[in-house]
């Protein structure tokens, strides 16, 4: 049987269809989350939320609730709670490091004291794309609408915040509230991707498309559109390749996204411009005090 024939047969299976729909929905929201991660310079958020998700999973297994739902709630609460700890633009990275340390310590202590099977808790972090459930699609669907919608409605405020936090404050942007919203979306997005690629490979859906888009776009809008476009192409091509050659989808998606990001960074610097630099002319200058 040819590779295309095999793909056609596999696409008739409901788990494969759910996985494909999940990847398409993820491509609409998660790369935009990657733009936020890059703009706020919080690369460590993926690891922090992975540990928070583990804590939520442990709690879910202990009390008999859906572990993934508990992971989503834990990540959302942590994203909202960590924002007040960051009083400066550089404070978020330190806050994420603190959150990561506390979350993994609490998770391991809870697993040890409760006697919950640690292997079962850790297994959910590796992801299983064919185990995507309708509830997971609902979460990804909400993110696919909410994240781009936020960028459309708050484009100016987001451009200022991601460009320069102090400039955003001087321009009247509600920085603290907007930061909380962004961190909650980032946290929920990372948790929502657990079923697709696992926490360790979530970069394929978030960070790598955003890194490539930064090299190709000249404004926040164009970077966002590039990130979504790259995410759709990478997810579709990577998923089809994994079906055709019977390969694990997660690593294939990471390699495909990484290849695109590498190709984008090979473009000569003179043909691209940093989004932070290009955002400066459009950002209003704070009025000098009288």
């Amino acid at each position: 049987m040819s590779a295309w024939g095999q793909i056609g047969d596999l696409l008739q299976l409901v788990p494969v269809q759910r996985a494909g729909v999940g990847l398409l929905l993820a491509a609409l929201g998660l790369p935009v989350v990657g733009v936020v991660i890059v703009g706020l310079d919080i690369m460590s958020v993926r690891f922090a939320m992975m540990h928070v998700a583990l804590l939520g999973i442990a709690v879910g297994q202990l009390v008999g609730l859906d572990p993934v739902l508990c992971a989503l709630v834990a990540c959302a609460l942590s994203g909202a709670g960590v924002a007040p700890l960051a009083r400066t633009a550089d404070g978020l990275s330190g806050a994420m490091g603190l959150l990561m340390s506390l979350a993994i310590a609490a998770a391991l202590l809870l697993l040890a004291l409760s006697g919950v099977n640690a292997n079962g808790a850790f297994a959910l972090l590796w992801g299983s794309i064919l185990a995507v459930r309708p509830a997971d699609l609902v979460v990804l669907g909400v993110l696919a609408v909410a994240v781009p919608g936020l960028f459309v409605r708050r484009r100016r405020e987001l451009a200022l915040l991601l460009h320069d936090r102090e400039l955003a404050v001087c321009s009247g942007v509600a920085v603290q509230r907007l930061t909380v919203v962004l961190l909650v979306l980032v946290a929920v997005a990372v948790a929502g991707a657990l079923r697709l690629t696992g926490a360790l490979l979530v970069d394929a859906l978030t960070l790598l498309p955003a890194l490539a888009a930064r090299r190709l776009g000249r404004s926040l809008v164009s970077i966002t559109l590039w990130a979504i476009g790259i995410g759709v192409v990478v997810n579709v091509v990577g998923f089809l390749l994994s079906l055709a050659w019977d390969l694990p989808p997660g690593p294939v998606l990471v390699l495909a996204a990484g290849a695109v990001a590498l190709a984008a960074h090979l473009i000569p610097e003179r043909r691209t411009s940093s989004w932070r630099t290009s955002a400066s002319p459009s950002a209003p200058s704070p009025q000098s005090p009288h």
Side-chain angles (χ1 to χ4, degrees):
M1 180 184 297
S2 67
W4 289 111
Q6 178 173 315
I7 292 176
D9 290 342
L10 290 174
L11 288 176
Q12 303 301 316
L13 302 177
V14 173
V16 176
Q17 293 173 359
R18 286 178 181 168
V21 172
L23 286 173
L24 283 176
L25 292 174
L28 298 177
L30 299 190
V32 186
V33 169
V35 174
V36 174
I37 293 174
V38 174
L40 292 178
D41 194 19
I42 49 172
M43 304 297 183
S44 59
V45 67
R46 299 113 62 214
F47 305 107
M49 291 307 150
M50 179 180 71
H51 293 136
V52 172
L54 178 62
L55 175 59
I57 290 170
V59 171
Q61 289 189 329
L62 177 63
V63 301
L65 297 176
D66 182 0
V68 177
L69 176 60
C70 291
L72 281 170
V73 173
C75 287
L77 293 176
S78 299
V82 78
L85 299 178
R87 300 299 182 186
T88 65
D90 299 328
L92 281 174
S93 296
M96 288 298 168
L98 175 63
L99 176 63
M100 179 168 55
S101 301
L102 294 177
I104 189 61
L108 294 177
L109 182 61
L110 181 61
L111 290 171
L113 294 178
S114 64
V116 172
N117 184 3
N119 291 332
F122 279 99
L124 289 174
L125 294 180
W126 311 142
S128 178
I129 195 169
L130 296 181
V132 171
R133 306 164 303 172
D136 301 316
L137 296 181
V138 170
V139 173
L140 293 171
V142 170
L143 290 171
V145 174
V147 179
L150 177 64
F151 267 63
V152 170
R153 294 191 59 183
R154 303 294 183 185
R155 182 171 63 250
R156 174 185 172 275
E157 291 90 340
L158 286 169
L160 285 170
L161 175 59
L162 298 182
H163 169 60
D164 189 308
R165 182 185 179 95
E166 294 182 1
L167 180 58
V169 172
C170 295
S171 301
V173 177
V175 169
Q176 194 67 23
R177 183 174 60 188
L178 188 56
T179 301
V180 170
V181 173
L182 290 177
L183 289 178
V184 169
L185 286 177
V186 169
V188 172
V190 173
L194 288 177
R195 290 278 184 183
L196 287 176
T197 61
L200 297 179
L201 299 180
V202 72
D203 287 353
L205 304 179
T206 55
L207 191 59
L208 293 179
L211 290 175
R214 267 186 85 185
R215 295 284 298 183
L216 300 172
R218 296 179 178 273
S219 66
L220 181 61
V221 173
S222 63
I223 288 174
T224 302
L225 293 176
W226 270 109
I228 293 174
I230 292 170
V232 170
V233 172
V234 166
N235 286 6
V236 171
V237 172
F239 188 52
L240 292 179
L241 288 176
S242 67
L243 293 180
W245 282 284
D246 193 20
L247 298 172
V252 174
L253 291 171
V254 171
L255 292 175
V260 173
L262 179 60
H265 279 75
L266 292 178
I267 298 175
E269 184 69 25
R270 59 183 177 83
R271 295 179 56 188
T272 62
S273 62
S274 168
W275 98 266
R276 293 180 183 275
T277 301
S278 63
S280 300
S282 61
S285 307
Q287 296 181 355
S288 49
H290 296 288

